[in-house]
Each structure stands twice: as C-alpha cells, then as structure tokens.
Amino acid sequence: YVQGTSSSATAHNTSSMLFSAAVLRDESPVAGNAGKASAGSPQRGLTFPPPPVEDESDSKAPPPAPSMCNNCLSPHPESMCRFNPAGWECTECGKKLTNSNGLDGVMCPSCYLVRPELDNCLEVWVCPNCSRCSPETENFCIHCNSHKCSGGDEEVIVLPFLPVACGRCGRPHLEAHCPSCT
C-alpha cells in the first residue's frame, strides 16, 4: 500500500464520478460551467457534432435483385425463358435464335456471342443428371431439363462461366471438355 497511490486513485475516481453525475443531471461538466446550462444553446449538457452527411454520389447502392421469370421461376428475365416463343436475335451476326433447350438460348452458335442478358453471368452449375453445364440464371438444366438440386444430398458443383468453341468439331460448349468429342 503506497500512500500517494490511494489519494491519486481517489482523486481520479472522484473526478470521474463528478463527470458522470454532471452528465446524468444534464449539466455541463466543464470547469466553471458546473451546474449551468450550456451558454447560447437551447439544449443542456454535452452537445455532439451532427453525424456526417453522406454524399449520395459516393454511396454504393445494393446490386439490383435478379429478375424472376414468371413462367419457370428461374432467376432470369422472361425474355430468356425456354417457354417464351419469341426467341432472340444475335446482335453480332443477326441470326434468329430460339429460347429452346441447349446453347441456342445462351449463345449464338454461329459467331459465339453470349446473349446480352448473360453479360453479368459469372458461373455455371453442373447438372447432377447429365453432367452438362447450365448458366447460373437457370434452375433447370438447359440440356436435359433436370432441376439443379435433383441430385439429392449432393452439393451442386459450380464452375466459372467460360463459353468456348471446340477446336476439333467447332461446336460451342460450357464444359471444360467438348461433350460431343469426348
């Protein structure tokens, strides 16, 4: 026990108790203002600076939710649905394509341009039934119509979206190896 320690600790505790009591009574704890309201301020007690105003141009808006197809409940726009008979037209070569099963609904087989609605598509999933790949915007396999979760307890395999044309047969595919040539 050191005699000086006790008095300094007591002084510290006393000043912090006075500060706390002043705040609880809504009084200014600043020396010389104890018991008085803040001068020139309609509020009494401590005042805090207002929160910073965020510039709306700098705020990052959340990404838009994917549009949901009313026909098949997949997370793609209705224009891409296989049940939509309108199809689509390639902006590169002008070929008219259907939304049918297979890659015609995903990319142009003539010039290999990926459909504009898939510009933000980053992944494909491997079908548990036929082992072919479908874009993440589809809940059903574009090749065999199986649901992506039809594999039971098996986890769905997800791969990067990299459409390519086979060097041997020239057919486009989403898999690592051409399913026609292997």
Side-chain angles (χ1 to χ4, degrees), residues 7 17 25 42 70 81 91 106-108 118 120 123 152 154:
S7 64
M17 286 187 335
R25 285 192 311 257
N70 290 325
C81 185
T91 56
V106 176
M107 62 190 285
C108 177
L118 292 173
N120 295 327
E123 297 175 332
E154 294 178 27

Side-chain angles (χ1 to χ4, degrees), residues 129-147:
N129 186 40
C130 69
S131 300
R132 301 280 312 268
C133 292
S134 294
E136 65 184 340
T137 58
E138 300 292 330
N139 285 338
F140 296 90
C141 178
I142 62 173
H143 305 285
C144 73
N145 288 331
S146 294
H147 193 272

Side-chain angles (χ1 to χ4, degrees), residues 26-172:
D26 201 21
E27 297 173 347
S28 175
V30 179
N33 290 335
K36 299 178 188 175
S38 300
S41 171
Q43 282 186 322
R44 295 176 45 191
L46 291 176
T47 57
F48 296 97
V53 177
E54 292 184 21
D55 185 13
E56 290 182 18
S57 62
D58 291 341
S59 66
K60 298 197 180 217
S67 54
M68 190 67 67
C69 177
N70 290 325
N71 295 321
C72 67
L73 301 179
S74 287
H76 61 231
E78 285 188 41
S79 62
M80 283 187 64
C81 185
R82 70 185 74 190
F83 301 112
N84 180 352
W88 66 288
E89 185 175 332
C90 178
T91 56
E92 187 72 24
C93 68
K95 185 173 182 172
K96 299 220 186 266
L97 301 159
T98 66
N99 288 331
S100 65
N101 289 349
L103 289 176
D104 280 359
V106 176
M107 62 190 285
C108 177
S110 300
C111 66
Y112 308 118
L113 178 78
V114 175
R115 191 172 180 154
E117 290 95 330
L118 292 173
D119 282 346
N120 295 327
C121 183
L122 302 175
E123 297 175 332
V124 294
W125 54 274
V126 179
C127 176
N129 186 40
C130 69
S131 300
R132 301 280 312 268
C133 292
S134 294
E136 65 184 340
T137 58
E138 300 292 330
N139 285 338
F140 296 90
C141 178
I142 62 173
H143 305 285
C144 73
N145 288 331
S146 294
H147 193 272
K148 71 165 47 173
C149 297
S150 63
D153 293 338
E154 294 178 27
E155 196 170 312
V156 177
I157 299 169
V158 178
L159 302 170
F161 180 66
L162 300 169
V164 294
C166 177
R168 192 178 313 162
C169 70
R171 292 185 179 152

